[in-house]
Amino acid sequence: MARTSSGSARPKRGPSRPRSPLGFVGRFAAFVGASILAGALVAGIALPFVGGFGLTAKAASENFDDLPGDLAQPFLSQPSYILDSEGNQLAMVYDRYRILVNFDQISPIMRQAIVAIEDSRFYEHGPIDLKGTLRALMRNQQSGTGTKQGGSSLTQQYVKNIFVEEAGDDPAKVAKAQAQEISRKIKELKYAIGLEQQLSKDEILTRYLNITFFGRQAYGVEAASQRYFSKHAKDLTLPEAATLAGVVQAPSAFDPIGYPKAARDRRNIVLQRMAEVNVISQAEADGAKATELNLKTQPLPNGCITADQIDGAAFFCDYVERVVKNDTAFGKTKEERNQLWREGGLRITTTLDRKAQKAAYSAATKGVLQKDPVADAVVMVEPGSGKIKAMAQSRPYGFGDYETTLNYSVDHSMGGSTFGFQTGSTFKPITAAAALESGMEVDQEYSTGYEIDMRKEKFRTCGDTARDPNYKPVNESRSETGTWNMQTALEKSINTYFVLLSKDVGLCPIATLADQMGVHQGNGKPLVQVPSMTLGANAIAPLNMAAAYAGFAARGVYCSPVAVTEVAKLDGTKLPVPQAGCKQVMKQSTADTINTLLKGVVEDGTGTKAGLSDRDNAGKTGTTNERKAAWFVGYTPNLSTAVWVGGAKDDVEMVNIRIAGKTYAKVYGGEVPGPIWKSAMTGALKGMDDPDFVDPPAGTIPAKPDPNKKPDDKPNPRGENRPPTGGGGNTKPPTTPPTTPSTPPPGGGGNTKPPHTPRPPWTTPPWIDG
């Protein structure tokens, strides 16, 4: 078989064909037209198109000359691959499924089939097929309003595909790129001329086969080969190649899956054409025609929903996508970042640990069932690095009943609920840390009854003061009266103690430290500085709480959560990725002390059902007012995990409720979230080192006070170790102090307004306990 200078197979020239049925007049017109067109090309104008569109030769020439000669080659959109920390694929995401291949990776019979049916004289003519164009023009003229023929060369078709590719998914732009307009035809021809001066025929054919659409989400011949025949393009057989070549003209009409008969008829037309131009023999064509399509289809999984099959990793995958689209590390503007995502061709290595994810997913889905009236979320962060190791929840990623696309673990801007969820007593360790940083000691004592009256008390904020005229906080149990220090108050989660402590420390140092630990409202706004702040009145996302507690585990070093460790393009170019920005936000001794205090919670306090027996661990329980959310946030030196359980719209009171087949009179942070945390951590930490926490300086943890000491009836009794100034702090307040909004958001999650008007999180709760 004859070959071109670049080595490609050139279709054999067949025997002389019958003369055109147009007769003498038609042949004369064709001769004249071809002569005029040839002269026009030399002159740089496109006269064959002019008459049919009512455009003068002068106007066409001017438009032609004004166009740039070189056509910018677009980056062809391809799949991006999201990988776990070990390089295993979590998901493939794409706007257009395309796998680029080179000339030698496409079977010769495929190349011959597409040339035969689309442009059989491709290797013989220049950028435009004069004979084919005139033939199409004359037949179109004869057919009147009937079906029109194209006549465009493969080079022109490639140019048109570039216009379509650049239009993206915008229907108006796509329609314009395909419109039968003289201006587009002129551009198409001018660019085709330029391309044929720059590229060989083989290069143009390869690019055409990589860009053209074959239906069913498959762009390019490699994607089509995998989609319809589950093989590479280099391995296509004659019938398979003819099938794909036939699809190109009308991917919907000749869809082999949806319309097999039409696809087979079209395939046979391609086979016959291949025989006519002597690419194959008639016997080969007839033999191939007698075969069935023999499809071996495979789906082209797309999007994060497919990652749900990998231990519920869809929500983490969705978070990664939002990181790329939102973080300025991937582009200064939203448009740049969205374009990067659409173009694809990225290899995104993430922080997800398969073992941790499996453990988190198992615990989340067993601790709360998919169809339970409440949901849960489990999220894990590595102390000292900020790496998100796992992210799971009881309701799967989807749009059906008891499914959701809301990621309960993260902020609203990253796909989470509108506001986050009230944290209850899991906020208390931050208050305790702020108190230690301000100079208070663990032996700071307060004697309180079951209830204290704080209605007239003013709490210092970063701006002025805050007061709640209805604020009379209570403890969980009426038996919880007596004298407490910081250790016993954390172990038993004594609300009255921490309200008094926060008044003495001041809300500003607490809010400032919380901000430095990455704790903010789920809607992205700073914490609201109100008297009930220490009891968890603000709504916060579980990821932020896990990262904050990781700061305790890392001896006071806070790292922003990160999900991506490397992003590389297909050519190996690496892009910058967001950094954790780890920084010391409190003294090591403060963190060491908090770790020791929170060890007491899981050993002797409200979190005993969560405690791990084989390694150092610490944590805190939390239950909100009206029991609409329950938490356990805990950690070891090498892993921090937050567990939230509640109504997705903050609309379920967890009283006399059935969860995972068990009925609970009242849900506590240590009762449902605690065991979920224990199960998740046990699985995630299996086989890992078990380092110990660093002990605080000797004498830091005092003896526990006498719980039978008679409480002081005054609302704000002064402990003997209380600083004479009544609080203060050694942390600098924010430059722009947070202000209390006039109309605060509701305290619950969900991205739709609850059917009722919930109590604002900073009004007097009936109780908020551990």
Side-chain angles (χ1 to χ4, degrees):
M1 179 176 292
R3 306 187 68 85
T4 65
S5 59
S6 56
S8 63
R10 177 181 298 167
K12 296 177 181 178
R13 185 178 302 277
S16 60
R17 301 191 181 101
R19 289 194 170 187
S20 168
L22 294 178
F24 174 77
V25 175
R27 293 196 302 275
F28 178 75
F31 171 76
V32 173
S35 300
I36 294 174
L37 180 58
L41 285 173
V42 174
I45 57 176
L47 288 182
F49 306 111
V50 174
F53 292 91
L55 191 68
T56 67
K58 180 180 179 181
S61 178
E62 290 173 352
N63 287 339
F64 192 91
D65 290 339
D66 289 341
L67 291 171
D70 296 332
L71 175 63
Q73 302 298 304
F75 180 91
L76 298 183
S77 60
Q78 300 169 73
S80 288
Y81 299 91
I82 299 178
L83 314 175
D84 65 19
S85 60
E86 299 297 323
N88 302 304
Q89 182 174 314
L90 293 175
M92 177 173 61
V93 294
Y94 53 86
D95 273 6
R96 296 183 174 179
Y97 184 73
R98 176 188 284 115
I99 306 296
L100 296 180
V101 289
N102 58 41
F103 184 82
D104 293 329
Q105 291 173 308
I106 305 170
S107 70
I109 200 66
M110 181 67 227
R111 302 194 300 261
Q112 292 163 351
I114 200 72
V115 168
I117 194 63
E118 291 295 322
D119 185 2
S120 61
R121 290 168 30 82
F122 174 64
Y123 282 98
E124 299 173 20
H125 61 66
I128 183 172
D129 182 1
L130 303 185
K131 292 181 180 179
T133 299
L134 285 173
R135 181 170 58 249
L137 286 170
M138 289 182 178
R139 290 184 179 176
N140 291 342
Q141 185 70 26
Q142 288 179 338
S143 66
T145 59
T147 303
K148 303 295 184 182
Q149 293 194 8
S152 294
S153 68
L154 276 177
T155 307
Q156 289 172 277
Q157 291 184 49
Y158 171 56
V159 172
K160 182 176 72 173
N161 273 286
I162 290 178
F163 296 156
V164 173
E165 182 76 17
E166 290 175 339
D169 296 323
D170 188 321
K173 291 182 179 179
V174 172
K176 186 175 181 180
Q178 296 175 322
Q180 294 295 324
E181 296 176 350
I182 183 62
S183 58
R184 184 182 70 80
K185 285 291 186 180
I186 291 175
K187 287 172 61 178
E188 190 179 281
L189 178 57
K190 179 66 178 284
Y191 288 134
I193 294 172
L195 283 174
E196 294 237 358
Q197 292 173 343
Q198 301 169 16
L199 304 173
S200 70
K201 289 286 189 178
D202 287 351
E203 290 172 326
I204 292 171
L205 179 59
T206 302
R207 294 189 181 199
Y208 172 81
L209 284 170
N210 273 320
I211 198 173
T212 196
F213 182 49
F214 287 85
R216 296 278 176 169
Q217 297 181 306
Y219 287 81
V221 67
E222 176 68 14
S225 300
Q226 294 182 15
R227 179 69 179 94
Y228 297 115
F229 299 108
S230 298
K231 61 172 56 177
H232 295 296
K234 66 181 178 63
D235 299 322
L236 288 169
T237 64
L238 171 59
E240 293 166 349
T243 299
L244 295 185
V247 169
V248 170
Q249 185 184 74
S252 297
F254 301 131
D255 175 9
I257 298 174
Y259 302 100
K261 184 180 184 304
R264 185 178 177 183
D265 290 345
R266 175 64 178 170
R267 178 202 68 180
N268 291 347
I269 291 174
V270 175
L271 290 168
Q272 186 58 42
R273 182 59 179 163
M274 294 175 74
E276 290 174 359
V277 297
N278 289 334
V279 171
I280 59 175
S281 68
Q282 188 62 53
E284 288 175 313
D286 293 340
K289 288 179 187 179
T291 65
E292 298 296 329
L293 289 178
N294 294 323
L295 301 179
K296 188 178 180 182
T297 62
Q298 64 172 327
L300 303 178
N302 183 21
C304 286
I305 193 170
T306 61
D308 212 47
Q309 302 170 9
I310 305 174
D311 297 315
F315 294 100
F316 177 81
C317 173
D318 182 82
Y319 182 81
V320 170
E321 177 177 342
R322 293 173 189 273
V323 168
V324 176
K325 290 182 176 180
N326 290 332
D327 199 292
T328 55
F330 299 104
K332 294 182 179 179
T333 67
K334 186 177 182 65
E335 290 72 21
E336 289 178 359
R337 298 190 294 271
N338 284 338
Q339 182 179 353
L340 175 68
W341 187 260
R342 284 195 308 270
E343 290 179 347
L346 304 175
R347 185 181 178 89
I348 304 171
T349 304
T350 71
T351 59
L352 186 122
D353 179 274
R354 283 287 181 96
K355 183 178 69 172
Q357 179 65 27
K358 183 176 183 179
Y361 180 68
S362 177
T365 53
K366 291 179 181 177
V368 177
L369 304 183
Q370 180 180 348
K371 295 184 178 181
D372 281 346
V374 293
D376 69 5
V378 180
V379 59
M380 298 178 169
V381 175
E382 182 179 73
S385 72
K387 293 180 179 179
I388 303 172
K389 309 301 285 186
M391 189 178 285
Q393 55 194 59
S394 58
R395 291 185 179 167
Y397 190 97
F399 302 92
D401 293 338
Y402 300 100
E403 296 179 341
T404 183
T405 56
L406 279 181
N407 186 341
Y408 301 138
S409 292
V410 302
D411 286 345
H412 177 65
S413 64
M414 298 301 287
S417 64
T418 304
F419 302 110
F421 306 102
Q422 288 182 308
T423 59
S425 296
T426 59
F427 192 87
K428 289 174 182 174
I430 298 175
T431 298
L436 296 174
E437 288 286 285
S438 71
M440 287 188 173
E441 302 291 342
V442 175
D443 61 0
Q444 173 67 46
E445 293 183 358
Y446 296 104
S447 297
T448 72
Y450 159 70
E451 176 185 88
I452 53 175
D453 187 348
M454 306 297 289
R455 291 176 295 181
K456 296 181 180 180
E457 300 296 327
K458 294 182 178 180
F459 291 70
R460 289 173 294 106
T461 67
C462 292
D464 189 8
T465 59
R467 184 174 72 87
D468 185 341
N470 301 308
Y471 197 37
K472 296 176 68 176
V474 300
N475 293 325
E476 162 62 13
S477 171
R478 289 190 175 274
S479 65
E480 291 175 340
T481 65
T483 300
W484 322 92
N485 67 6
M486 199 177 294
Q487 180 182 20
T488 55
L490 275 172
E491 288 178 2
K492 304 303 180 185
S493 201
I494 304 301
N495 295 329
T496 52
Y497 177 94
F498 276 93
V499 170
L500 296 175
L501 181 66
S502 67
K503 184 179 186 304
D504 284 350
V505 175
L507 300 182
C508 185
I510 299 171
T512 301
L513 179 59
D515 179 70
Q516 293 172 341
M517 297 175 73
V519 177
H520 52 261
Q521 294 184 78
N523 59 10
K525 296 181 180 180
L527 298 181
V528 181
Q529 296 180 37
V530 290
S532 58
M533 180 175 74
T534 191
L535 302 185
N538 282 276
I540 300 165
L543 174 59
N544 296 329
M545 293 300 292
Y549 274 51
F552 293 137
R555 304 192 71 198
V557 174
Y558 170 75
C559 303
S560 300
V562 291
V564 178
T565 57
E566 182 180 283
V567 176
K569 293 187 175 181
L570 294 182
D571 63 2
T573 303
K574 293 184 179 180
L575 303 179
V577 298
Q579 299 299 309
C582 300
K583 58 184 178 181
Q584 193 82 37
V585 297
M586 67 185 78
K587 296 189 291 288
Q588 287 186 347
S589 59
T590 296
D592 295 341
T593 300
I594 295 296
N595 296 339
T596 300
L597 297 180
L598 294 185
K599 280 176 64 178
V601 173
V602 297
E603 292 173 353
D604 302 309
T606 59
T608 53
K609 290 186 177 181
L612 305 175
S613 59
D614 62 340
R615 62 183 65 229
D616 260 6
N617 64 113
K620 184 69 187 75
T621 57
T623 312
T624 69
N625 58 313
E626 300 176 353
R627 298 188 189 275
K628 291 184 178 178
W631 292 69
F632 190 88
V633 187
Y635 54 95
T636 66
N638 45 8
L639 190 63
S640 175
T641 299
V643 176
W644 160 86
V645 176
K649 298 179 181 178
D650 192 43
D651 55 353
V652 180
E653 295 184 21
M654 292 185 288
V655 178
N656 296 321
I657 190 172
R658 194 167 180 81
I659 301 175
K662 181 179 179 181
T663 300
Y664 297 87
K666 295 180 180 179
V667 170
Y668 297 91
E671 187 136 29
V672 179
I676 293 174
W677 182 90
K678 182 175 184 177
S679 175
M681 290 288 281
T682 299
L685 293 170
K686 186 176 182 179
M688 291 180 62
D689 293 338
D690 56 345
D692 295 331
F693 292 121
V694 176
D695 292 330
T700 299
I701 309 299
K704 295 181 181 180
D706 180 3
N708 298 316
K709 183 178 179 181
K710 184 178 179 180
D712 193 324
D713 293 331
K714 295 180 181 180
N716 193 13
R718 183 182 297 276
E720 59 184 57
N721 295 320
R722 178 180 174 189
T725 58
N730 62 354
T731 53
K732 185 178 180 181
T735 305
T736 304
T739 57
T740 303
S742 58
T743 306
N751 64 351
T752 56
K753 186 176 181 180
H756 64 292
T757 303
R759 181 191 305 275
W762 42 84
T763 58
T764 306
W767 46 262
I768 303 180
D769 70 279

